[in-house]
Amino acid sequence: MFLFRKRAEMPAPADALPGRPSPIPTAETHFVNGNPLKGPYPDGLQAIGLGLGCFWGAERKFWQLPEGVYVTAVGYAAGYTPNPTYEEVCSGLTGHNEVVLVVFDPAVLPLEALLRTFFESHDPTQGYRQGNDVGTQYRSGIYVTDPAQEETAKQVRAAYAVALRAKGYGDVTTEIRPLEHFYFAEGYHQQYLAKNPGGYCGLGGTGVSCPIGTGVAA
C-alpha cells in the first residue's frame, strides 16, 4: 500500500485561495491575562510576529515568559489569501505561516531576549516543517514591524547560525520579512494550551544555546 503526501511548497500568488473580505471571528481578550487581544495596546509597546511550528505550543512559550509580554495571539501571516481560515491555511494553498503575535515592552524584555526564546524553542534548520509537522505553515519566520527589529533579527539569526553549525546542524532557514498583514486565528485557537493543558504540542528545540550578547547589538 502506497502513501501519498502533498509536497510542501509555496503556492504561486495566482494559485492561492481567494479568501474573504471580512475578518473571521476570534476572541476579544487573552484567556490567561485578560488583556485585549487586538488592542488598543499601551504606549511604548512593540509587536512582532514569530513562526516556529504549530502555533498552539509556540504561543505558550511566550505568554509563559516571566515579564515583559503584554499579550500574545495566534494567527496567519506572510501569505496571499485575505482573512483565511485554519483549514485553508493547512491546505497549503494560502501561503501563510502559523504565527504568534507577541506584544511586548522592550524596556523590560529586549528584543534580543525574546528572539533567544524564539530560536531555542524550535529547530530553525528544517525548512517547511517542525518535527512531524510538515507544511509551509510550519516554517521558521520572524515578521518585523520596523527596520530596527529587522536589523536585530538578522544579527541574532546570524549569531545562532554560527552556534548551530558548530554543533553539526545545517543552514538556518528562518525568513525575516515585514509583518504586512496579521490575520487573527479563530477563537478556539487562542491560548489553546491554557484551555486544553493536555493538548498537542509538537515543538522541540535543538538544545543549542543562542549566544545573544556576543556580537549582537543591544
Side-chain angles (χ1 to χ4, degrees):
M1 186 174 182
F2 295 94
L3 299 177
F4 295 91
R5 175 182 289 172
K6 182 180 181 297
R7 192 160 55 126
E9 60 183 9
M10 289 288 287
D15 297 330
L17 296 175
R20 56 201 48 78
S22 300
I24 56 176
T26 191
E28 293 187 2
T29 59
H30 196 278
F31 183 78
V32 177
N33 65 26
N35 288 334
L37 219 60
K38 294 186 175 183
Y41 308 129
D43 292 342
L45 302 189
Q46 293 185 12
I48 194 167
L50 301 170
L52 55 156
C54 175
F55 54 19
W56 290 350
E59 184 185 15
R60 181 171 61 181
K61 291 287 185 180
F62 299 103
W63 87 58
Q64 287 184 336
L65 289 176
E67 57 182 0
V69 172
Y70 178 76
V71 77
T72 60
V74 295
Y76 317 114
Y80 310 116
T81 299
N83 300 298
T85 66
Y86 179 69
E87 290 75 15
E88 289 170 343
V89 171
C90 288
S91 75
L93 296 175
T94 72
H96 287 292
N97 198 359
E98 290 191 15
V99 170
V100 181
L101 180 72
V102 182
V103 180
F104 66 102
D105 184 347
V108 177
L109 178 64
L111 180 57
E112 294 90 339
L114 185 63
L115 292 178
R116 178 174 187 170
T117 295
F118 164 78
F119 277 115
E120 292 183 354
S121 296
H122 73 300
D123 181 349
T125 69
Q126 291 192 319
Y128 292 146
R129 68 180 299 158
Q130 278 298 306
N132 293 326
D133 293 329
V134 179
T136 55
Q137 75 270 30
Y138 301 120
R139 64 192 186 268
S140 179
I142 302 172
Y143 306 103
V144 300
T145 55
D146 64 42
Q149 284 189 355
E150 181 176 8
E151 182 60 27
T152 297
K154 288 179 177 178
Q155 291 175 344
V156 176
R157 180 180 63 180
Y160 198 45
V162 172
L164 287 171
R165 282 196 296 270
K167 296 295 184 179
Y169 283 86
D171 293 337
V172 169
T173 60
T174 305
E175 64 181 14
I176 299 174
R177 297 170 51 181
L179 184 64
E180 295 178 345
H181 299 285
F182 179 82
Y183 300 106
F184 286 82
E186 295 85 343
Y188 75 93
H189 288 298
Q190 304 297 339
Q191 301 84 59
Y192 181 87
L193 292 183
K195 304 169 188 172
N196 304 275
Y200 171 77
C201 176
L203 286 192
T206 62
V208 178
S209 295
C210 182
I212 63 168
T214 304
V216 179

